[in-house]
Amino acid sequence: MAGLQASRRALALSRLCRSSSPLILSRKSSSAPEDFFKRNDALKRPMSPHVTVYKPQWTWVLSIFHRGTGVWLSFGVYAGAAATYMTAGNLDASLAAMSLPPLVGLLGKTSLSFPFVYHSLNGVRHLNWDRGEGFEIKTLEKQGVAVLASSLLVSALMALLL
């Protein structure tokens, strides 16, 4: 009996697939996307989720910052490769020939070292979360502040010493 039902379904499906008229699945609704936004504006509902709705918290601010440093590092890799290519592999000599003020060099080193250090230390923090540890709110906030402070300290030392 089950075999007969399965073959009937297969036959109906094959007829449907061979049908010359297109199968139209539509919902009879007059609400277009514009109506949705107009209705939400009239009800004074915010676009969800939206940054202005939520109070800033360390966890999501540092998460966004982690993503931003990842993008900055990717940009740095491409910019460094392009600069090396344009100076024919002699980037150090080209930078020395520019004779830039020491503050510019320090800012350049910091803009390269801070994203690297922060992204690395925050990555270790994420590995700790993968182990299932440190999800209490107080622990999350302490870890975030510790990662940010240590990133600032280590990147300043790297910029000064290198």
Side-chain angles (χ1 to χ4, degrees):
M1 189 71 160
L4 182 60
Q5 287 177 345
S7 61
R8 284 182 182 166
R9 275 186 249 150
L11 181 62
L13 183 62
S14 69
R15 285 182 184 160
L16 182 66
C17 291
R18 280 186 265 142
S19 171
S20 61
S21 62
L23 180 64
I24 299 173
L25 299 174
S26 66
R27 208 176 82 184
K28 291 184 179 179
S29 173
S30 63
S31 66
E34 297 84 25
D35 295 336
F36 171 79
F37 291 113
K38 287 178 185 175
R39 186 176 69 238
N40 282 341
D41 284 342
L43 293 171
K44 298 198 184 325
R45 291 180 180 163
M47 192 181 310
S48 179
H50 201 272
V51 179
T52 60
V53 176
Y54 302 105
K55 177 184 169 189
Q57 297 174 346
W58 273 106
T59 51
W60 64 265
V61 170
L62 294 177
S63 176
I64 292 170
F65 203 58
H66 181 77
R67 294 170 190 205
T69 56
V71 170
W72 182 250
L73 288 171
S74 298
F75 171 75
V77 166
Y78 290 114
T84 303
Y85 176 75
M86 288 189 283
T87 58
N90 208 358
L91 183 59
D92 291 336
S94 297
L95 288 174
M98 286 185 205
S99 64
L100 298 170
L103 182 62
V104 173
L106 185 65
L107 289 174
K109 290 178 192 178
T110 305
S111 70
L112 294 175
S113 65
F114 178 76
F116 176 77
V117 172
Y118 176 80
H119 199 78
S120 299
L121 292 178
N122 206 39
V124 172
R125 182 176 172 220
H126 278 266
L127 287 174
N128 191 36
W129 293 346
D130 289 343
R131 292 180 24 197
E133 299 173 359
F135 285 111
E136 298 80 28
I137 298 297
K138 293 291 181 190
T139 306
L140 288 170
E141 290 175 355
K142 286 179 184 176
Q143 287 177 346
V145 170
V147 164
L148 191 59
S150 57
S151 297
L152 288 168
L153 180 68
V154 171
S155 63
L157 287 172
M158 285 178 67
L160 289 173
L161 297 176
L162 295 178

